């Protein structure tokens, strides 16, 4: 089966999918659309948006749906239905925080952006990360769900990395269990190899 991921040439909503495909050991064409070419490509995508995963001659949209498809197919969903649903819960939770990050990151007005960034760091990050950090700690080991790597770890780690890289390198200082999980994800040999070759 051939796999092709169409997305822009940045991490955004595409990177977690790339990391998942790399973890699953799937060779895929990393189709990175240049922004200037997007207007001509947009009408030919299923929902006028990316990411789109092409599997053979079929295509799948919506980043979380694509992640779940790969996780289901390549056994990164936890050990049972409960664990699979916990993966959904944690990925959707960090995605809610990511949607808040999008709001300030793409704000054009500098004053409004500074205000939104401050609210992100002082209110929203603690609201979400205190609880996720506790959940990770209570689960023991390195991972968020069960005792093996799941797509939730990869999805959450990718978003945490984005927050560190773009908001504040110290954003995880108060959340050591999440930092431990993130470090464990990026130490996975296939993920390391993907990042080194990126
Ligand atoms: N809910 C969708 C949102 C997809 C989305 O907003 N994609 C953006 C890039 S991250 C896009 O295609 N923007 C270009 C456009 O809308 O023209 C998902 O999670 O995949």
């Amino acid at each position: 089966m051939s796999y092709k991921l169409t997305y822009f040439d940045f991490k955004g909503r595409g990177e977690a999918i790339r990391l998942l495909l790399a973890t699953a050991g799937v060779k895929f064409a990393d189709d990175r659309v240049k922004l200037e070419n997007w207007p001509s490509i947009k009408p030919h995508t299923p929902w006028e948006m990316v990411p789109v995963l092409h599997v053979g001659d079929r295509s799948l949209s919506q980043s979380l749906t694509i992640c779940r498809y790969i996780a289901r197919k390549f056994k990164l969903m936890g050990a049972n239905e409960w664990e699979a649903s916990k993966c959904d819960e944690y990925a959707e939770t960090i995605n809610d925080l990511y949607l808040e990050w999008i709001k300030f990151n793409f704000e054009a007005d500098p004053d409004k952006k500074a205000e939104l960034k401050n609210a992100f760091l002082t209110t929203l990050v603690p609201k979400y990360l205190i609880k996720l950090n506790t959940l990770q700690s209570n689960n023991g080991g390195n991972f968020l769900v069960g005792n093996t790597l799941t797509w939730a770890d990869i999805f959450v780690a990718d978003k945490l990395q984005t927050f560190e890289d773009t908001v504040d390198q110290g954003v995880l200082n108060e959340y050591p269990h999440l930092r431990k999980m993130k470090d464990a994800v990026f130490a996975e040999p296939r993920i390391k190899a993907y990042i080194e070759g990126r």
Side-chain angles (χ1 to χ4, degrees):
M1 189 59 77
S2 67
Y3 292 86
K4 179 171 89 169
L5 177 69
T6 299
Y7 191 65
F8 296 120
D9 190 15
F10 51 75
K11 293 182 182 173
R13 287 181 167 99
E15 188 68 2
I17 299 169
R18 297 185 187 115
L19 293 173
L20 271 164
L21 288 167
T23 306
V26 174
K27 282 207 164 55
F28 65 101
D30 197 0
D31 175 29
R32 291 172 179 256
V33 174
K34 291 200 165 51
L35 288 175
E36 63 265 30
N37 296 335
W38 174 239
S40 64
I41 293 170
K42 181 178 166 86
H44 303 290
T45 61
W47 301 98
E48 304 202 6
M49 279 185 217
V50 281
V52 178
L53 181 70
H54 307 269
V55 182
D57 60 1
R58 298 177 301 172
S59 61
L60 196 59
S61 294
Q62 290 291 349
S63 52
L64 284 156
T65 301
I66 297 169
C67 287
R68 281 191 198 96
Y69 170 77
I70 298 164
R72 200 175 287 124
K73 199 165 169 66
F74 297 100
K75 313 232 176 314
L76 290 161
M77 281 206 114
N80 50 47
E81 282 173 12
W82 185 256
E83 288 191 5
S85 298
K86 280 288 160 188
C87 288
D88 287 344
E89 180 184 329
Y90 300 157
E92 288 185 38
T93 297
I94 203 73
N95 199 50
D96 285 352
L97 183 58
Y98 182 68
L99 295 176
E100 299 288 350
W101 172 85
I102 286 177
K103 275 188 210 161
F104 91 76
N105 198 52
F106 294 102
E107 173 59 53
D109 178 298
D111 293 337
K112 185 91 194 288
K113 186 172 176 135
E115 195 184 304
L116 287 172
K117 179 176 176 175
N118 186 48
F120 182 82
L121 273 172
T122 58
T123 309
L124 293 164
V125 163
K127 174 181 164 189
Y128 287 93
L129 296 198
I130 288 173
K131 290 195 173 74
L132 271 176
N133 189 63
T134 303
L135 288 163
Q136 153 61 11
S137 168
N138 291 346
N139 194 47
N142 284 336
F143 302 115
L144 278 164
V145 178
N147 51 17
T148 53
L149 178 74
T150 66
W151 79 277
D153 299 307
I154 295 170
F155 192 88
V156 172
D158 171 56
K159 300 302 182 254
L160 295 178
Q161 188 64 52
T162 295
F163 302 153
E164 277 191 334
D165 291 346
T166 62
V167 188
D168 185 342
Q169 273 301 328
V171 74
L172 296 181
N173 286 352
E174 307 291 318
Y175 314 107
H177 299 288
L178 289 179
R179 177 173 280 148
K180 181 174 142 194
M181 181 278 290
K182 182 176 81 73
D183 290 346
V185 166
F186 287 107
E188 283 291 311
R190 282 177 168 171
I191 290 190
K192 260 179 101 167
Y194 161 74
I195 287 170
E196 280 160 17
R198 188 164 55 191

